[in-house]
Amino acid sequence: MDVEKISDQNVPESIDGLTLQDVTPKLEKIWVRHPKLLQLNFLLLCAFLGQTATGYDGSMLNGMQALPQWEMYFGSPSGGRLGAMVNGIVFGVLIALPFSSLLCEKFGRRYPITIGTSIIIAGSTLQTAAVNYAMFVVGRFFIGFGGGLVAVAAPQLMMECAYPSHRGKLVSLYMTQWPVGYLIAAWITYGTFKVQSAWSWRLPSLLQIVPSLIQLVLSLFAPESPRWLIYQNRTGEAIDMLAKYHANGDRNALLVRVQVAEIETALAHEKQQKSMNWSEFVRTPGNRRRLLILIFVGYATQWSGNGLTAYYLPRVLDTVNITAPETQLLINALIAIFKVCCSAACALAIDRAGRRGLILFGTITMFIVFVIWTITSAINQERHFEDRKLASAVVAMIFLFHVGYQPLAASAIVYVIESAPFSLRAKTSMIFQFCAYTASVFNNFVNPVAMDAIQWRYYIVYCVILAAEVVITYFFLPETKGRSLEEIAEIFDGSHTVVESSENANMAEPEEVEYVKK
């Protein structure tokens, strides 16, 4: 074993005035060929897979509604009874949210993922073993409770640990795991359609455990957020984490020093302002703006019409007389593939197109699609469902809807989390999930009732909502791409708050670092 001493001769004596973008090296090789980045991104799968179980659940419930065995076992639930089955997971999430914020602030971003995935596994087991309606709903409640803990912690862990140039894409790709989970469940329920027993729906329920089990194991080895560590006065551990995964072990790397300086300066200011209180959201104009955008984006992710295709696709297809269970399952499975493709493309484009750019494109596209969808559904009903071309047009609109929805979904969590200061980030994540899931409660109770009562006319409501979303996005949402988490404060709070690395925040002068060669 040889010991080689290496000094960083290119590190300037002062890092005053440098930004993260200035000092982030451009990787000469693809990140998978950098062992520490590969290790970091692999461990961050504990957070990255957080949406997989949620997407799986949405598709699984869609598929189960088309499974005759599930329909017979639970007495063909509809209306409010079906809404309660879907909302079992939503109620669990809503109850978990206040605890999730506290856990993230007190114990870090990693441990809530460990706790949450353990609860999801228990809930999925209970759902699989359900012998009656109540047991099924209770199992879904526990899945939701665990999912609520994971949903708040996961994007924060990724955003605060990711390599700087990976942050936007990684957190945006996190949202692609919803359609990935949806895809997996869609094809599983399509495959179990021919199973002539309760296992046609129990097996999809059992397999819901798999992504959470992977998350649980990886969370035991994943790093903690360096921002949380510095806030807890554990700066040495934060430097170790950043050096290990961002600078190949070099504690004196310019990238490490600037990140630590920016974080320390920002957190020192937030501590002086005692800005971890809920009242901070309304104390300053910048935070009030953040709060309004947060609420808007949170509700937009669920009140843009996606609830119709996520949980009630069979009802939508019924309105155009596509009623064969196998056909509905096949359409659900094909939509899942299309969702994944759209979502991945949007996530990879987020740093080029921007967060606001994707949201604006998405809302405009969804509005146009819903107008056409509404018109074709109305004409189809007037012609007594005899025109198969119109039915095909409605199915095409369901597919094209995701060309608009996936840009919004891919951008939403990145946009609201990176816009928040560290001291409000856990609360921001909690409010985002609260908005999304309270909107889901509305969707899950009102959508089936409205679809049964007024059918295609219900789509007009979403046309109006989407028109309002286009206007709000165009006039009120700023762009945040190309900035560090600390530098984004300038957009909301003014140029006087730009975080620059000051001499007071500088780390010690460069010194020789020992690297051990094996």
Side-chain angles (χ1 to χ4, degrees), residues 255-310:
L255 177 59
V256 175
R257 296 174 61 197
V258 169
Q259 284 188 94
V260 172
E262 284 195 346
I263 295 168
E264 285 185 327
T265 304
L267 296 187
H269 175 73
E270 291 180 27
K271 284 183 177 181
Q272 287 178 349
Q273 299 296 321
K274 298 181 180 179
S275 53
M276 297 222 27
N277 297 324
W278 284 97
S279 59
E280 187 66 17
F281 276 110
V282 296
R283 191 181 67 84
T284 67
N287 284 347
R288 288 194 292 272
R289 186 183 183 192
R290 289 182 176 101
L291 179 61
L292 291 174
I293 291 174
L294 167 60
I295 293 171
F296 165 71
V297 174
Y299 279 108
T301 59
Q302 295 300 320
W303 278 352
S304 297
N306 55 300
L308 295 175
T309 62

Side-chain angles (χ1 to χ4, degrees), residues 138-319:
V138 170
R140 293 183 58 70
F141 171 84
F142 281 110
I143 294 171
F145 190 91
L149 299 181
V150 175
V152 171
Q156 295 181 78
L157 182 66
M158 285 187 295
M159 187 162 288
E160 295 173 1
C161 289
Y163 189 75
S165 60
H166 291 176
R167 190 189 79 229
K169 289 187 178 69
L170 182 63
V171 182
S172 186
L173 282 168
Y174 160 76
M175 295 307 298
T176 69
Q177 296 311 295
W178 199 101
V180 167
Y182 191 100
L183 170 65
I184 294 169
W187 284 100
I188 288 174
T189 51
Y190 181 71
T192 61
F193 173 74
K194 295 182 180 180
V195 177
Q196 299 302 314
S197 70
W199 280 102
S200 65
W201 62 267
R202 291 190 193 277
L203 182 59
S205 294
L206 180 63
L207 293 176
Q208 191 170 4
I209 292 172
V210 174
S212 297
L213 183 61
I214 296 172
Q215 288 179 269
L216 173 61
V217 173
L218 291 178
S219 69
L220 301 176
F221 303 97
E224 184 52 83
S225 160
R227 287 166 175 81
W228 182 82
L229 290 170
I230 291 175
Y231 198 85
Q232 300 296 321
N233 297 317
R234 294 161 60 180
T235 304
E237 294 176 55
I239 295 171
D240 289 340
M241 180 271 160
L242 292 170
K244 178 179 180 179
Y245 293 111
H246 291 191
N248 202 30
D250 185 0
R251 289 170 58 90
N252 290 303
L254 191 56
L255 177 59
V256 175
R257 296 174 61 197
V258 169
Q259 284 188 94
V260 172
E262 284 195 346
I263 295 168
E264 285 185 327
T265 304
L267 296 187
H269 175 73
E270 291 180 27
K271 284 183 177 181
Q272 287 178 349
Q273 299 296 321
K274 298 181 180 179
S275 53
M276 297 222 27
N277 297 324
W278 284 97
S279 59
E280 187 66 17
F281 276 110
V282 296
R283 191 181 67 84
T284 67
N287 284 347
R288 288 194 292 272
R289 186 183 183 192
R290 289 182 176 101
L291 179 61
L292 291 174
I293 291 174
L294 167 60
I295 293 171
F296 165 71
V297 174
Y299 279 108
T301 59
Q302 295 300 320
W303 278 352
S304 297
N306 55 300
L308 295 175
T309 62
Y311 284 94
Y312 298 105
L313 180 62
R315 266 55 177 180
V316 173
L317 295 175
D318 287 344
T319 65

Side-chain angles (χ1 to χ4, degrees), residues 427-478:
K427 292 179 173 65
T428 294
S429 186
M430 192 207 81
I431 293 172
F432 177 81
Q433 298 298 333
F434 176 83
C435 293
Y437 278 98
T438 50
S440 292
V441 172
F442 176 90
N443 288 343
N444 296 336
F445 277 116
V446 174
N447 283 352
V449 176
M451 289 297 298
D452 290 341
I454 58 177
Q455 297 183 328
W456 64 266
R457 295 171 184 82
Y458 185 50
Y459 304 153
I460 298 173
V461 174
Y462 286 105
C463 291
V464 174
I465 291 173
L466 286 165
E469 289 180 4
V470 171
V471 173
I472 293 171
T473 300
Y474 184 81
F475 287 105
F476 298 107
L477 267 61

Side-chain angles (χ1 to χ4, degrees), residues 35 60 131 136 145 274 293 457 487 517:
M60 184 184 71
V131 296
F136 189 86
F145 190 91
K274 298 181 180 179
I293 291 174
R457 295 171 184 82
E487 292 160 4
K517 284 185 172 181

Side-chain angles (χ1 to χ4, degrees), residues 326-343:
E326 190 168 2
T327 303
Q328 291 184 348
L329 284 168
L330 180 59
I331 291 173
N332 185 42
L334 293 173
I335 288 174
I337 295 175
F338 190 69
K339 279 183 177 181
V340 171
C341 295
C342 292
S343 183

